[in-house]
Amino acid sequence: MFIFQAFTMKYQVVMLLACAAAASATLEVVNQWSLMQFDFPPDPVLLEKFQPENTVPTGLEIGWDRLYLGIPRLRAGVPATLAWIPRSLPQGVSPVLQAYPDWSWHSAGRGDINCTGLISVYRIRADRCNRLWVLDAGVVTSIDDFRRVCPPKILIFDMATDRLVRSVYFPRELLRPSSLLTNIVLDDTRSSSSRPSSSCDHLFAYISDTVAPGIIVYDGRRDNAWRVTHASMYPDPDLGEYDINGEKFTLMDGVVGLAHSPAQGLLYYQPLATDRLFSISTAVLASGPPAEGTDLPVNLVGRKSSQGIGVAVDPRDDTIIFSPLTETAIAAWNPISNSHKVLAQDAEKLQFCAEVRWAERDNGAVWALSTRFHKFFRRSASKHEINIRILRVFDNNFVSVQSHVLRRSARQANATFV
Protein backbone atom coordinates (compact mmCIF):
# COMPACT_ATOMS: atom_id res chain seq x y z
CA MET A 1 0.00 0.00 0.00
CA PHE A 2 1.23 3.48 -0.76
CA ILE A 3 1.29 6.00 2.05
CA PHE A 4 -0.79 9.16 2.37
CA GLN A 5 1.25 12.24 3.24
CA ALA A 6 -0.09 15.56 4.50
CA PHE A 7 1.76 18.87 4.58
CA THR A 8 0.94 21.84 6.77
CA MET A 9 1.13 24.94 4.57
CA LYS A 10 -2.63 25.51 4.04
CA TYR A 11 -2.93 22.67 1.62
CA GLN A 12 -2.57 18.94 1.55
CA VAL A 13 -0.24 17.29 -0.89
CA VAL A 14 -1.42 13.80 -1.55
CA MET A 15 0.05 10.51 -2.67
CA LEU A 16 -1.46 7.62 -4.54
CA LEU A 17 -3.31 5.34 -2.13
CA ALA A 18 -4.32 1.92 -3.36
CA CYS A 19 -3.61 -1.71 -2.76
CA ALA A 20 -1.42 -3.22 -5.45
CA ALA A 21 -4.14 -5.71 -6.29
CA ALA A 22 -6.85 -3.09 -6.59
CA ALA A 23 -6.39 -2.34 -10.27
CA SER A 24 -6.49 -5.48 -12.37
CA ALA A 25 -7.12 -6.59 -15.96
CA THR A 26 -7.84 -3.06 -17.22
CA LEU A 27 -5.13 -2.93 -19.87
CA GLU A 28 -5.39 -4.01 -23.47
CA VAL A 29 -2.04 -4.51 -25.20
CA VAL A 30 -2.60 -2.94 -28.62
CA ASN A 31 0.96 -3.51 -29.85
CA GLN A 32 4.20 -4.62 -28.25
CA TRP A 33 7.84 -5.04 -29.20
CA SER A 34 11.01 -6.32 -27.64
CA LEU A 35 12.97 -4.08 -30.02
CA MET A 36 11.45 -2.17 -32.91
CA GLN A 37 11.88 -3.10 -36.57
CA PHE A 38 11.20 -1.09 -39.74
CA ASP A 39 9.99 -1.77 -43.24
CA PHE A 40 13.30 -0.73 -44.77
CA PRO A 41 13.77 0.41 -48.35
CA PRO A 42 16.55 -1.25 -50.39
CA ASP A 43 19.25 0.87 -48.73
CA PRO A 44 22.23 -1.03 -47.27
CA VAL A 45 23.48 2.11 -45.45
CA LEU A 46 20.27 2.37 -43.39
CA LEU A 47 20.47 -1.30 -42.49
CA GLU A 48 24.13 -1.06 -41.56
CA LYS A 49 23.60 1.95 -39.27
CA PHE A 50 20.41 0.63 -37.60
CA GLN A 51 20.80 0.00 -33.86
CA PRO A 52 17.49 -1.32 -32.48
CA GLU A 53 18.79 -1.17 -28.91
CA ASN A 54 18.92 2.65 -29.30
CA THR A 55 15.48 2.99 -30.88
CA VAL A 56 12.77 3.90 -28.36
CA PRO A 57 9.62 5.96 -29.03
CA THR A 58 8.54 8.85 -26.83
CA GLY A 59 5.48 10.15 -28.73
CA LEU A 60 2.11 8.65 -29.61
CA GLU A 61 -0.80 10.03 -31.63
CA ILE A 62 -3.98 8.10 -32.33
CA GLY A 63 -5.31 8.71 -35.83
CA TRP A 64 -8.52 7.35 -37.32
CA ASP A 65 -6.82 4.42 -39.02
CA ARG A 66 -3.18 4.76 -37.97
CA LEU A 67 -1.04 5.09 -34.87
CA TYR A 68 1.85 7.55 -35.17
CA LEU A 69 5.09 7.24 -33.20
CA GLY A 70 7.74 9.86 -32.53
CA ILE A 71 11.15 8.19 -32.18
CA PRO A 72 13.82 10.76 -31.31
CA ARG A 73 17.47 10.18 -32.14
CA LEU A 74 18.51 9.89 -28.49
CA ARG A 75 21.51 7.86 -29.62
CA ALA A 76 22.96 6.80 -32.96
CA GLY A 77 21.25 4.18 -35.10
CA VAL A 78 17.62 5.39 -35.39
CA PRO A 79 16.62 4.96 -39.07
CA ALA A 80 13.33 6.92 -39.04
CA THR A 81 12.33 9.44 -36.39
CA LEU A 82 8.59 9.38 -37.26
CA ALA A 83 6.68 6.23 -38.12
CA TRP A 84 3.20 4.77 -38.31
CA ILE A 85 1.43 1.44 -37.98
CA PRO A 86 -2.15 0.46 -38.89
CA ARG A 87 -4.78 0.46 -36.17
CA SER A 88 -6.60 -2.51 -37.73
CA LEU A 89 -4.20 -5.18 -36.46
CA PRO A 90 -4.81 -8.06 -34.04
CA GLN A 91 -4.13 -7.23 -30.41
CA GLY A 92 -0.62 -7.64 -29.12
CA VAL A 93 1.19 -8.01 -32.46
CA SER A 94 4.61 -6.49 -33.18
CA PRO A 95 4.29 -4.79 -36.58
CA VAL A 96 7.20 -3.37 -38.53
CA LEU A 97 7.18 0.42 -38.62
CA GLN A 98 6.47 2.45 -41.75
CA ALA A 99 8.47 5.67 -42.11
CA TYR A 100 6.24 8.76 -42.21
CA PRO A 101 5.48 10.31 -44.58
CA ASP A 102 8.08 8.26 -46.49
CA TRP A 103 11.79 7.40 -46.33
CA SER A 104 12.86 10.47 -48.29
CA TRP A 105 12.25 12.56 -45.15
CA HIS A 106 14.66 10.49 -43.03
CA SER A 107 18.06 10.88 -44.66
CA ALA A 108 19.50 11.63 -41.20
CA GLY A 109 19.13 7.91 -40.51
CA ARG A 110 21.88 7.22 -43.02
CA GLY A 111 24.03 10.13 -41.82
CA ASP A 112 22.93 12.68 -44.44
CA ILE A 113 21.68 15.73 -42.56
CA ASN A 114 19.07 17.70 -44.50
CA CYS A 115 17.44 20.38 -42.38
CA THR A 116 14.30 20.43 -44.51
CA GLY A 117 13.74 16.80 -43.54
CA LEU A 118 12.98 15.17 -40.20
CA ILE A 119 15.86 15.11 -37.72
CA SER A 120 14.59 14.10 -34.26
CA VAL A 121 10.89 13.97 -33.36
CA TYR A 122 9.80 13.57 -29.76
CA ARG A 123 6.05 14.14 -30.11
CA ILE A 124 3.29 14.68 -32.64
CA ARG A 125 -0.28 15.97 -32.37
CA ALA A 126 -3.28 15.91 -34.69
CA ASP A 127 -5.52 18.96 -35.07
CA ARG A 128 -9.22 19.33 -35.90
CA CYS A 129 -8.40 19.60 -39.61
CA ASN A 130 -6.87 16.11 -39.72
CA ARG A 131 -3.36 17.52 -39.90
CA LEU A 132 -0.38 16.12 -38.03
CA TRP A 133 1.84 18.62 -36.21
CA VAL A 134 5.35 17.18 -36.02
CA LEU A 135 7.71 18.80 -33.51
CA ASP A 136 11.31 18.35 -34.68
CA ALA A 137 13.97 19.15 -32.06
CA GLY A 138 16.84 19.34 -34.58
CA VAL A 139 19.14 17.61 -32.07
CA VAL A 140 20.71 14.17 -32.48
CA THR A 141 22.37 11.86 -29.92
CA SER A 142 20.84 14.02 -27.20
CA ILE A 143 21.65 11.53 -24.44
CA ASP A 144 25.29 11.04 -25.38
CA ASP A 145 26.71 14.28 -26.77
CA PHE A 146 23.74 16.54 -27.65
CA ARG A 147 24.56 17.62 -31.21
CA ARG A 148 22.37 20.35 -32.67
CA VAL A 149 22.49 19.79 -36.41
CA CYS A 150 19.44 21.83 -37.50
CA PRO A 151 17.14 24.52 -36.08
CA PRO A 152 14.02 23.14 -34.39
CA LYS A 153 10.81 23.37 -36.37
CA ILE A 154 7.22 22.20 -36.74
CA LEU A 155 6.17 20.42 -39.91
CA ILE A 156 2.43 20.05 -40.52
CA PHE A 157 1.21 17.22 -42.73
CA ASP A 158 -2.23 16.51 -44.16
CA MET A 159 -2.96 13.02 -42.85
CA ALA A 160 -5.29 12.29 -45.75
CA THR A 161 -2.60 12.85 -48.38
CA ASP A 162 0.61 12.63 -46.27
CA ARG A 163 1.75 15.87 -47.87
CA LEU A 164 3.46 18.77 -46.11
CA VAL A 165 1.11 21.75 -45.85
CA ARG A 166 3.04 24.11 -43.58
CA SER A 167 6.44 24.63 -41.94
CA VAL A 168 7.04 26.66 -38.78
CA TYR A 169 10.48 27.91 -37.73
CA PHE A 170 11.21 29.66 -34.44
CA PRO A 171 12.97 33.02 -34.07
CA ARG A 172 16.52 32.62 -32.79
CA GLU A 173 15.89 34.84 -29.79
CA LEU A 174 13.42 32.28 -28.40
CA LEU A 175 15.99 29.49 -28.33
CA ARG A 176 18.95 28.77 -26.09
CA PRO A 177 22.13 26.82 -26.89
CA SER A 178 20.76 23.85 -24.94
CA SER A 179 17.12 24.13 -26.10
CA LEU A 180 15.44 20.75 -26.61
CA LEU A 181 11.81 21.00 -27.77
CA THR A 182 10.08 17.81 -26.65
CA ASN A 183 6.31 18.23 -26.37
CA ILE A 184 3.47 20.12 -28.00
CA VAL A 185 -0.24 20.61 -27.30
CA LEU A 186 -2.74 22.41 -29.50
CA ASP A 187 -5.36 24.91 -28.35
CA ASP A 188 -8.06 25.85 -30.84
CA THR A 189 -10.38 27.42 -28.26
CA ARG A 190 -8.99 30.94 -28.64
CA SER A 191 -10.02 31.47 -32.25
CA SER A 192 -11.57 34.87 -32.90
CA SER A 193 -13.70 33.37 -35.63
CA SER A 194 -17.37 32.63 -34.94
CA ARG A 195 -16.82 29.41 -36.86
CA PRO A 196 -13.94 27.49 -35.18
CA SER A 197 -13.48 25.32 -38.27
CA SER A 198 -13.22 28.27 -40.66
CA SER A 199 -9.43 28.30 -40.49
CA CYS A 200 -7.18 25.43 -39.59
CA ASP A 201 -4.42 27.82 -38.50
CA HIS A 202 -6.48 29.76 -35.96
CA LEU A 203 -4.97 28.00 -32.98
CA PHE A 204 -2.19 28.21 -30.43
CA ALA A 205 0.51 25.64 -29.80
CA TYR A 206 2.31 25.32 -26.47
CA ILE A 207 5.75 23.72 -26.72
CA SER A 208 8.03 22.52 -23.92
CA ASP A 209 11.74 23.32 -23.86
CA THR A 210 13.03 20.63 -21.53
CA VAL A 211 16.78 21.24 -21.20
CA ALA A 212 16.65 25.05 -21.23
CA PRO A 213 13.37 25.05 -19.30
CA GLY A 214 10.57 27.19 -20.66
CA ILE A 215 7.41 27.10 -22.77
CA ILE A 216 7.21 28.50 -26.29
CA VAL A 217 3.81 29.85 -27.31
CA TYR A 218 3.03 29.80 -31.03
CA ASP A 219 0.14 31.82 -32.50
CA GLY A 220 -0.78 30.02 -35.71
CA ARG A 221 -3.01 32.75 -37.07
CA ARG A 222 -0.34 35.46 -36.80
CA ASP A 223 2.61 33.09 -37.32
CA ASN A 224 4.24 34.56 -34.25
CA ALA A 225 5.90 33.01 -31.21
CA TRP A 226 7.24 33.99 -27.80
CA ARG A 227 8.81 32.33 -24.78
CA VAL A 228 7.74 32.20 -21.14
CA THR A 229 9.74 30.88 -18.21
CA HIS A 230 9.17 30.18 -14.54
CA ALA A 231 11.13 28.45 -11.78
CA SER A 232 8.47 25.72 -11.70
CA MET A 233 9.60 24.59 -15.18
CA TYR A 234 13.04 23.61 -13.89
CA PRO A 235 13.96 20.19 -12.50
CA ASP A 236 13.97 19.69 -8.75
CA PRO A 237 17.53 18.62 -7.82
CA ASP A 238 16.13 16.42 -5.05
CA LEU A 239 13.88 14.50 -7.45
CA GLY A 240 16.21 13.68 -10.32
CA GLU A 241 16.55 10.02 -9.34
CA TYR A 242 13.80 7.58 -10.32
CA ASP A 243 12.96 4.14 -8.98
CA ILE A 244 11.06 1.73 -11.20
CA ASN A 245 10.67 -1.74 -9.73
CA GLY A 246 13.87 -1.24 -7.77
CA GLU A 247 15.90 -0.12 -10.81
CA LYS A 248 17.20 3.41 -10.28
CA PHE A 249 18.48 5.97 -12.75
CA THR A 250 19.08 9.72 -12.77
CA LEU A 251 17.91 12.27 -15.33
CA MET A 252 17.58 15.99 -14.59
CA ASP A 253 14.91 16.93 -17.12
CA GLY A 254 12.83 20.07 -16.85
CA VAL A 255 9.33 20.73 -18.20
CA VAL A 256 8.15 17.98 -20.55
CA GLY A 257 4.62 16.85 -19.60
CA LEU A 258 1.88 19.08 -21.08
CA ALA A 259 -1.92 18.85 -21.12
CA HIS A 260 -4.64 21.32 -22.08
CA SER A 261 -8.02 21.81 -20.42
CA PRO A 262 -10.27 23.68 -22.88
CA ALA A 263 -13.10 24.20 -20.41
CA GLN A 264 -10.89 25.46 -17.60
CA GLY A 265 -8.67 27.45 -19.95
CA LEU A 266 -5.56 25.96 -18.39
CA LEU A 267 -2.30 24.46 -19.52
CA TYR A 268 -1.08 21.82 -17.09
CA TYR A 269 2.64 21.08 -17.11
CA GLN A 270 5.27 19.17 -15.18
CA PRO A 271 9.03 18.67 -15.33
CA LEU A 272 10.20 15.08 -15.25
CA ALA A 273 12.31 15.70 -12.15
CA THR A 274 9.48 16.72 -9.83
CA ASP A 275 6.46 15.29 -8.07
CA ARG A 276 4.48 18.50 -8.63
CA LEU A 277 1.88 19.43 -11.23
CA PHE A 278 1.45 23.08 -12.22
CA SER A 279 -1.01 25.11 -14.28
CA ILE A 280 -1.20 28.46 -16.00
CA SER A 281 -4.06 30.21 -17.74
CA THR A 282 -4.02 29.88 -21.53
CA ALA A 283 -5.42 33.42 -21.70
CA VAL A 284 -2.20 34.61 -20.06
CA LEU A 285 -0.07 32.54 -22.42
CA ALA A 286 -1.96 33.74 -25.50
CA SER A 287 -1.86 37.42 -24.53
CA GLY A 288 1.66 37.85 -25.82
CA PRO A 289 5.17 38.04 -24.40
CA PRO A 290 5.16 38.97 -20.71
CA ALA A 291 6.63 42.32 -19.79
CA GLU A 292 10.18 42.19 -18.51
CA GLY A 293 10.26 41.50 -14.78
CA THR A 294 6.69 40.19 -14.73
CA ASP A 295 6.10 36.94 -12.85
CA LEU A 296 3.87 34.40 -14.53
CA PRO A 297 0.72 33.61 -12.50
CA VAL A 298 1.54 29.93 -12.10
CA ASN A 299 -0.50 27.71 -9.79
CA LEU A 300 0.73 24.66 -7.93
CA VAL A 301 -2.06 22.16 -8.62
CA GLY A 302 -0.79 19.46 -6.30
CA ARG A 303 1.69 16.66 -5.80
CA LYS A 304 1.75 13.15 -7.15
CA SER A 305 3.09 10.08 -5.45
CA SER A 306 6.20 10.12 -7.66
CA GLN A 307 7.63 11.69 -10.80
CA GLY A 308 6.13 11.16 -14.23
CA ILE A 309 6.02 12.39 -17.83
CA GLY A 310 2.65 11.52 -19.31
CA VAL A 311 -0.31 13.73 -18.41
CA ALA A 312 -3.61 14.29 -20.22
CA VAL A 313 -7.03 15.86 -19.71
CA ASP A 314 -10.38 14.29 -20.48
CA PRO A 315 -12.22 17.38 -21.86
CA ARG A 316 -15.63 15.85 -21.17
CA ASP A 317 -15.25 16.42 -17.42
CA ASP A 318 -11.74 17.92 -17.03
CA THR A 319 -10.32 14.84 -15.31
CA ILE A 320 -6.52 14.91 -15.16
CA ILE A 321 -4.92 11.60 -16.16
CA PHE A 322 -1.32 10.93 -15.14
CA SER A 323 1.19 8.14 -14.61
CA PRO A 324 3.42 8.11 -11.50
CA LEU A 325 6.59 6.20 -12.38
CA THR A 326 7.36 4.43 -9.11
CA GLU A 327 3.80 3.13 -8.78
CA THR A 328 3.77 1.86 -12.41
CA ALA A 329 0.17 3.05 -12.63
CA ILE A 330 -2.22 5.29 -14.53
CA ALA A 331 -4.40 7.37 -12.24
CA ALA A 332 -7.06 10.05 -12.62
CA TRP A 333 -8.15 13.03 -10.54
CA ASN A 334 -11.07 15.33 -11.23
CA PRO A 335 -10.28 18.77 -9.76
CA ILE A 336 -13.94 19.80 -9.90
CA SER A 337 -15.50 16.83 -8.07
CA ASN A 338 -12.27 15.82 -6.30
CA SER A 339 -12.91 12.20 -7.31
CA HIS A 340 -9.96 9.85 -7.69
CA LYS A 341 -9.39 6.60 -9.51
CA VAL A 342 -6.60 4.20 -10.30
CA LEU A 343 -7.31 3.35 -13.91
CA ALA A 344 -4.64 0.68 -14.19
CA GLN A 345 -1.66 -0.62 -12.28
CA ASP A 346 0.81 -3.13 -13.64
CA ALA A 347 4.43 -3.53 -12.55
CA GLU A 348 5.37 -5.15 -15.84
CA LYS A 349 3.39 -3.24 -18.47
CA LEU A 350 3.48 0.28 -17.05
CA GLN A 351 7.14 0.69 -16.17
CA PHE A 352 7.67 4.06 -17.90
CA CYS A 353 4.75 5.82 -19.56
CA ALA A 354 6.25 8.36 -21.91
CA GLU A 355 2.74 9.27 -23.08
CA VAL A 356 -0.73 9.13 -21.54
CA ARG A 357 -3.40 10.17 -24.03
CA TRP A 358 -7.12 10.84 -24.00
CA ALA A 359 -8.02 9.70 -27.51
CA GLU A 360 -10.74 11.71 -29.26
CA ARG A 361 -10.38 9.35 -32.21
CA ASP A 362 -11.24 6.38 -30.00
CA ASN A 363 -14.40 7.59 -28.24
CA GLY A 364 -12.38 9.11 -25.43
CA ALA A 365 -10.47 5.98 -24.43
CA VAL A 366 -7.25 6.36 -22.46
CA TRP A 367 -4.09 5.18 -24.23
CA ALA A 368 -0.51 4.91 -23.00
CA LEU A 369 2.91 4.44 -24.53
CA SER A 370 5.01 2.41 -22.11
CA THR A 371 8.66 2.20 -23.17
CA ARG A 372 10.94 0.92 -20.40
CA PHE A 373 12.97 4.01 -21.22
CA HIS A 374 15.10 3.48 -18.12
CA LYS A 375 16.47 0.23 -19.56
CA PHE A 376 17.30 1.86 -22.90
CA PHE A 377 18.88 4.75 -20.99
CA ARG A 378 21.06 2.34 -18.96
CA ARG A 379 21.78 0.19 -22.05
CA SER A 380 20.18 -2.81 -20.34
CA ALA A 381 17.17 -3.45 -22.63
CA SER A 382 17.03 -7.13 -23.56
CA LYS A 383 15.80 -8.42 -26.90
CA HIS A 384 14.31 -11.36 -24.99
CA GLU A 385 11.84 -9.17 -23.07
CA ILE A 386 8.99 -6.89 -24.10
CA ASN A 387 10.31 -3.34 -23.75
CA ILE A 388 7.77 -1.22 -25.66
CA ARG A 389 3.98 -1.35 -25.47
CA ILE A 390 1.04 0.64 -26.78
CA LEU A 391 -1.77 0.14 -24.29
CA ARG A 392 -5.45 0.96 -24.06
CA VAL A 393 -7.42 1.26 -20.81
CA PHE A 394 -10.97 -0.07 -20.55
CA ASP A 395 -13.09 2.53 -18.79
CA ASN A 396 -15.72 0.01 -17.75
CA ASN A 397 -13.16 -1.51 -15.37
CA PHE A 398 -11.96 1.67 -13.68
CA VAL A 399 -11.22 1.06 -10.02
CA SER A 400 -12.36 3.65 -7.51
CA VAL A 401 -10.02 4.37 -4.61
CA GLN A 402 -10.08 6.67 -1.62
CA SER A 403 -10.07 10.35 -2.43
CA HIS A 404 -6.32 10.73 -2.02
CA VAL A 405 -4.59 10.75 -5.40
CA LEU A 406 -4.05 14.44 -6.02
CA ARG A 407 -5.61 17.49 -4.43
CA ARG A 408 -5.76 21.05 -5.63
CA SER A 409 -3.42 23.56 -4.02
CA ALA A 410 -4.82 26.92 -2.99
CA ARG A 411 -1.39 28.53 -3.15
CA GLN A 412 0.24 29.98 -6.21
CA ALA A 413 3.55 28.50 -7.24
CA ASN A 414 5.08 31.96 -7.40
CA ALA A 415 4.79 32.13 -3.64
CA THR A 416 6.56 28.79 -3.35
CA PHE A 417 9.57 29.89 -5.38
CA VAL A 418 10.13 33.38 -3.98
Side-chain angles (χ1 to χ4, degrees), residues 49-64:
K49 290 183 175 292
F50 179 36
Q51 298 183 48
E53 68 277 9
N54 290 345
T55 303
V56 54
T58 59
L60 171 68
E61 182 58 289
I62 298 93
W64 293 113

Side-chain angles (χ1 to χ4, degrees), residues 134-353:
V134 179
L135 180 63
D136 188 340
V139 174
V140 298
T141 58
S142 53
I143 288 180
D144 293 333
D145 57 9
F146 197 90
R147 290 194 298 121
R148 180 173 305 286
V149 296
C150 293
K153 60 183 179 291
I154 299 171
L155 298 180
I156 305 174
F157 293 91
D158 182 338
M159 291 192 289
T161 64
D162 298 332
R163 292 181 178 176
L164 180 70
V165 295
R166 189 174 182 186
S167 302
V168 176
Y169 292 88
F170 301 100
R172 289 185 178 181
E173 61 267 23
L174 300 188
L175 304 173
R176 307 294 180 262
S178 60
S179 284
L180 185 67
L181 306 189
T182 60
N183 205 348
I184 179 171
V185 296
L186 305 178
D187 174 9
D188 60 10
T189 65
R190 311 202 62 79
S191 170
S192 59
S193 171
S194 60
R195 296 173 56 201
S197 62
S198 62
S199 174
C200 296
D201 293 324
H202 285 200
L203 52 70
F204 283 82
Y206 311 118
I207 299 147
S208 62
D209 188 340
T210 295
V211 180
I215 292 175
I216 293 175
V217 181
Y218 174 68
D219 181 345
R221 184 169 68 90
R222 296 181 175 87
D223 193 27
N224 190 21
W226 52 93
R227 181 185 181 96
V228 299
T229 60
H230 190 270
S232 60
M233 299 173 190
Y234 283 73
D236 185 331
D238 295 326
L239 289 168
E241 183 179 71
Y242 314 90
D243 187 339
I244 300 176
N245 288 349
E247 187 169 356
K248 296 182 180 180
F249 70 107
T250 300
L251 188 61
M252 293 300 297
D253 271 2
V255 58
V256 59
L258 299 177
H260 175 228
S261 169
Q264 298 295 312
L266 293 174
L267 177 71
Y268 294 104
Y269 66 86
Q270 57 186 9
L272 173 58
T274 190
D275 59 356
R276 300 181 180 189
L277 180 69
F278 301 93
S279 71
I280 184 170
S281 164
T282 54
V284 170
L285 292 175
S287 64
E292 186 174 353
T294 301
D295 287 332
L296 286 178
V298 169
N299 287 304
L300 171 60
V301 179
R303 278 182 174 164
K304 305 164 295 174
S305 47
S306 63
Q307 309 99 316
I309 292 182
V311 61
V313 171
D314 183 339
R316 297 171 299 189
D317 61 2
D318 287 299
T319 292
I320 300 170
I321 307 162
F322 60 101
S323 179
L325 293 180
T326 300
E327 289 69 35
T328 59
I330 299 174
W333 171 61
N334 188 298
I336 299 173
S337 65
N338 202 32
S339 61
H340 304 71
K341 296 176 181 178
V342 173
L343 308 187
Q345 187 170 26
D346 192 302
E348 176 67 19
K349 297 175 182 175
L350 294 173
Q351 287 193 18
F352 190 104
C353 286

